[in-house]
Amino acid sequence: MTVLSNRVLEMKESATLAMARQSRMLKEQGVDIISLSLGEPDFDTPDNIKRAAENALEHGDTKYTPVSGTKALRDAICRKLERENHVSYTAEQIVVSNGAKQSIANACMALLNPGDEIILPSPFWISYAAIAELAGAKVVEIKADVNEGFKVSAEKLEQHITTKTKVILYSSPCNPTGAVFNKQELRAIANLMLKHPNIHVISDEIYEHINYLGEHYTIAQFEDVKDRVIIVNGFSKAYSMTGWRLGYMAASKEIASACDKIQGQITSGACSFNQTAAIEALDGNQVEVEKMVDAFKRRRTLVINRLSKFEGVKCPSPDGAFYVFPDISCYFGKSYDGIIIKNSEDFALFILNKAHVATVGGESFGDGNCLRISFAASEEALNEAFDRIEKAVAGLVG
Ligand code: PLP
């Protein structure tokens, strides 16, 4: 008999991956499912990046790389950070990883001791809590609801800071809400860091380029706290490179070398030829990124328009990323086929079974009144999905 570790037994399965599995099962049974559950751009990786990978393979770029990534890629990342974010880092402060998710895990493992507290402004990305708990930390969720634009203020954060608080971790633009911290809001969080010199911020900026405001700020821009900020970013979203598994962090030398040490014992350096191609992603023509963002902008308008027709549903227009996070609690207590919808997971299942549209309940993102809908799908698919949801909702009883 196998007795699995408490670590894995206590871990929650990713709700997005669980929903993807469930809709795949229905698809295999021949059901025509429209999938709006995954955080994956529906575009192909731009050609110039693919050609760069082919070229790198052709030229024998197939060996182990340094754990932190090739010097050439780390230099390209430093140039990007200087050019786009106005922050200066040297190559020793960059650790390339197998995706932003790994960078977040590295940072949590490097910073958190069992019993330390990590504050997650909520709603938050599904994996944060599981990763922090793996590091033994206590997760402190601080919630902002739809009426607050899903943005937790610095005042609210401060009320929950204790002597054990070590890390604040957020994504901006945010998955699942699309909320974006502006410069003043980030300054207010930086001021909190000044008051509490033990606190670090892990700033997940993976949706940086998918920003409808046109301006992205990073808290690392404030020199007085920069040493305690870990910028996490990657190639999955902006360059539609989810399957390539490539991310990175920028941090103080001390934190970067701690992350290098952890990664060196677990996965080593990321894929060699992907790293060469990633230099092309950063330094090459950005026109494909702009096209993708324009398409996301059109889809955002479409989705917000369609949602506005649902009486009782509240949904701010997202400022970034490619998700909407409507409050659908007006449907709680209604029923279909004798099943009462009690929470967002029930509502997601109802939509899956009756409209054949896959979404994710908001519970695992920290807000059980909401539903996460990804608009990384064609306008045709989105319209069809909302037609089906409208029809299903009209059949609810109660
Ligand atoms: N951070 C956020 C907020 C995300 O939404 C995702 C992916 O969905 C990631 C990190 C992971 O990115 P990567 O594919 O680089 O691991």
Side-chain angles (χ1 to χ4, degrees):
M1 193 179 90
T2 305
V3 180
L4 296 173
S5 70
N6 292 341
R7 190 180 304 114
V8 75
L9 291 174
E10 283 162 14
M11 188 188 252
K12 286 188 217 108
E13 187 189 10
S14 159
T16 44
L17 298 183
M19 185 49 117
R21 200 186 46 237
Q22 218 160 339
S23 55
R24 214 168 25 242
M25 263 161 49
L26 283 171
K27 267 186 190 162
E28 278 162 16
Q29 290 164 20
V31 182
D32 168 28
I33 300 287
I34 301 177
S35 182
L36 306 182
S37 62
L38 266 187
E40 179 161 67
D42 53 320
F43 305 100
D44 198 3
T45 304
D47 260 353
N48 60 322
I49 304 172
K50 290 204 278 189
R51 296 295 86 81
E54 278 173 6
N55 207 22
L57 260 178
E58 194 69 21
H59 288 87
D61 210 346
T62 56
K63 304 290 187 199
Y64 284 135
T65 66
V67 173
S68 283
T70 62
K71 174 76 166 39
L73 176 56
R74 284 180 291 135
D75 283 343
I77 291 168
C78 290
R79 286 196 296 278
K80 177 260 178 237
L81 289 166
E82 187 81 55
R83 184 174 65 238
E84 297 183 357
N85 308 108
H86 317 295
V87 284
S88 297
Y89 288 92
T90 58
E92 309 86 79
Q93 296 178 278
I94 309 296
V95 184
V96 174
S97 64
N98 295 285
K101 193 182 249 182
Q102 186 179 24
S103 296
I104 295 162
N106 284 342
C108 285
M109 297 297 167
L111 289 170
L112 293 164
N113 273 322
D116 284 345
E117 292 177 9
I118 177 168
I119 291 182
L120 300 183
S122 163
F124 55 84
W125 183 47
I126 233 152
S127 294
Y128 292 163
I131 292 172
E133 279 163 3
L134 256 190
K138 181 179 162 208
V139 170
V140 179
E141 289 180 29
I142 307 178
K143 194 165 166 178
D145 67 17
V146 65
N147 300 311
E148 297 159 275
F150 294 121
K151 279 204 268 187
V152 177
S153 67
E155 294 78 54
K156 216 165 168 183
L157 285 178
E158 183 154 33
Q159 287 162 17
H160 294 82
I161 288 176
T162 72
T163 50
K164 292 194 174 149
T165 309
K166 185 77 183 287
V167 171
I168 300 173
L169 165 55
Y170 60 76
S171 58
S172 178
C174 174
N175 175 4
T177 66
V180 173
F181 281 130
N182 63 34
K183 197 170 179 182
Q184 291 90 306
E185 288 159 343
L186 291 173
R187 182 64 254 180
I189 297 174
N191 289 345
L192 276 187
M193 294 173 77
L194 290 181
K195 261 199 206 166
H196 302 275
N198 195 32
I199 295 185
H200 297 69
V201 163
I202 303 176
S203 171
D204 180 350
E205 302 177 21
I206 188 93
Y207 293 98
E208 169 186 14
H209 290 99
I210 305 163
N211 178 321
Y212 312 113
L213 300 173
E215 270 178 332
H216 172 80
Y217 292 101
T218 171
I219 192 166
Q221 279 167 326
F222 302 116
E223 278 296 329
D224 48 4
V225 294
K226 185 177 167 219
D227 253 16
R228 284 183 284 137
V229 172
I230 298 93
I231 294 182
V232 172
N233 210 328
F235 298 84
S236 290
K237 314 291 175 174
Y239 300 101
S240 207
M241 290 170 67
T242 45
W244 296 58
R245 309 310 304 130
L246 212 53
Y248 60 89
M249 66 151 67
S252 69
K253 278 188 195 162
E254 190 183 7
I255 296 173
S257 78
C259 291
D260 172 288
K261 188 170 163 190
I262 290 166
Q263 190 168 297
Q265 293 292 23
I266 299 181
T267 60
S268 305
C271 168
S272 53
F273 46 91
N274 286 0
Q275 291 189 56
T276 307
I279 299 172
E280 172 62 21
L282 295 176
D283 285 347
N285 195 317
Q286 302 294 305
V287 71
E288 291 304 318
V289 181
E290 286 159 25
K291 279 193 209 160
M292 288 190 236
V293 175
D294 282 346
F296 284 134
K297 213 184 241 177
R298 286 195 300 276
R299 295 165 181 187
R300 175 182 71 147
T301 307
L302 183 159
V303 166
I304 289 294
N305 277 342
R306 295 294 306 247
L307 277 170
S308 69
K309 310 279 189 316
F310 290 76
E311 208 179 317
V313 169
K314 285 185 257 175
C315 188
S317 181
D319 286 332
F322 41 70
Y323 312 98
V324 279
F325 200 56
D327 181 319
I328 44 82
S329 57
C330 58
Y331 297 117
F332 297 173
K334 296 186 187 288
S335 61
Y336 66 102
D337 297 346
I339 304 166
I340 299 174
I341 296 172
K342 295 182 290 303
N343 51 44
S344 63
E345 310 293 322
D346 290 349
F347 189 77
L349 270 182
F350 156 66
I351 294 289
L352 181 66
N353 290 320
K354 288 289 167 186
H356 298 156
V357 176
T359 57
V360 193
E363 191 63 50
S364 37
F365 296 94
D367 193 334
N369 285 333
C370 297
L371 184 75
R372 194 192 73 164
I373 304 174
S374 161
F375 51 88
S378 70
E379 293 182 37
E380 192 190 354
L382 289 168
N383 269 321
E384 168 71 18
F386 277 95
D387 288 348
R388 292 186 192 181
I389 297 172
E390 256 170 19
K391 211 157 141 201
V393 162
L396 282 172
V397 178

